[in-house]
Amino acid sequence: IIFIKSMMKRLLFLNLLIITLVPLSVFASIQPADEQEIRADISIIQQAVNNSDSKEIIKLISPHALPELSQTIKGNVDGKSILYYQNINSIEEESTDKIKVTGIFSASGQNGAQNWDINGLENYFIFEKVDGKWLLIESDFQNKLNADYVFHMIGKIFKYGIPAVIILFPLMI
């Protein structure tokens, strides 16, 4: 019995060690210089959106990105009055040449006579290393920078949320 208890303690310790070290090895693989460059790129994106100028963002786009990425960024940034703030929650290596950044953002703007405001929604950026530089290959931030997205989200709440409450409310009484 003493042998079994001793063996169980060793196995438990080994499992805890593995559970602890495996995530550390994933995060440790991103070099500080790479993380610093990616954070600088996110800062450039934030500044460019706030300045209504997509040119600086376009410079950060990978040649391997879909053309729609540049087109959507231009359409949703240029000439728009947007106040945008990006918070970074995680920076994780997807492969040796790709890093995914996830975060929460806030944005507000004006679309004609309509004011809109988004706070606390998640978004992501995927960067790939091209010729020694981290460039944006994919993201969803550009799709969330307009009143249409806000009203689309509100529409979903009314479309699915209100009927669910109407159906479930009698069951709660």
Side-chain angles (χ1 to χ4, degrees):
I1 290 187
I2 295 173
F3 175 74
I4 294 173
K5 285 184 180 180
S6 174
M7 188 62 125
M8 288 178 66
K9 284 182 183 179
R10 286 183 188 152
L11 286 174
L12 179 62
F13 176 74
L14 185 60
N15 283 336
L16 288 174
L17 187 64
I18 290 170
I19 289 171
T20 304
L21 292 180
V22 168
L24 289 176
S25 67
V26 171
F27 293 117
S29 62
I30 298 175
Q31 298 297 316
D34 293 335
E35 182 175 338
Q36 186 176 5
E37 181 180 345
I38 287 170
R39 286 183 181 277
D41 288 350
I42 297 287
S43 181
I44 289 168
I45 291 169
Q46 178 177 308
Q47 253 183 324
V49 171
N50 289 333
N51 292 333
S52 305
D53 183 13
S54 68
K55 289 181 209 129
E56 293 301 314
I57 302 172
I58 302 303
K59 290 178 189 176
L60 296 175
I61 294 180
S62 167
H64 306 120
L66 293 174
E68 292 83 26
L69 180 62
S70 296
Q71 294 166 357
T72 306
I73 289 171
K74 285 178 187 176
N76 288 340
V77 171
D78 286 347
K80 304 292 194 285
S81 177
I82 299 172
L83 182 59
Y84 175 71
Y85 175 75
Q86 180 66 51
N87 186 39
I88 297 172
N89 291 345
S90 69
I91 300 176
E92 298 176 4
E93 188 173 51
E94 285 201 327
S95 65
T96 56
D97 63 342
K98 286 190 182 173
I99 291 179
K100 183 173 186 176
V101 178
T102 56
I104 295 175
F105 74 99
S106 64
S108 60
Q110 197 169 16
N111 187 16
Q114 298 174 326
N115 290 328
W116 57 271
D117 187 36
I118 302 173
N119 286 303
L121 293 181
E122 288 188 3
N123 60 357
Y124 73 92
F125 303 84
I126 298 177
F127 292 88
E128 73 168 345
K129 198 155 206 168
V130 178
D131 296 329
K133 292 185 75 172
W134 288 102
L135 300 175
L136 186 65
I137 189 166
E138 183 183 331
S139 181
D140 67 345
F141 92 97
Q142 71 281 356
N143 298 321
K144 299 178 178 182
L145 291 178
N146 58 52
D148 294 338
Y149 182 78
V150 174
F151 295 124
H152 175 74
M153 293 300 291
I154 292 170
K156 278 187 173 183
I157 291 169
F158 281 106
K159 184 177 180 180
Y160 299 110
I162 292 178
V165 169
I166 291 170
I167 291 169
L168 295 175
F169 184 72
L171 299 174
M172 292 196 254
I173 297 178

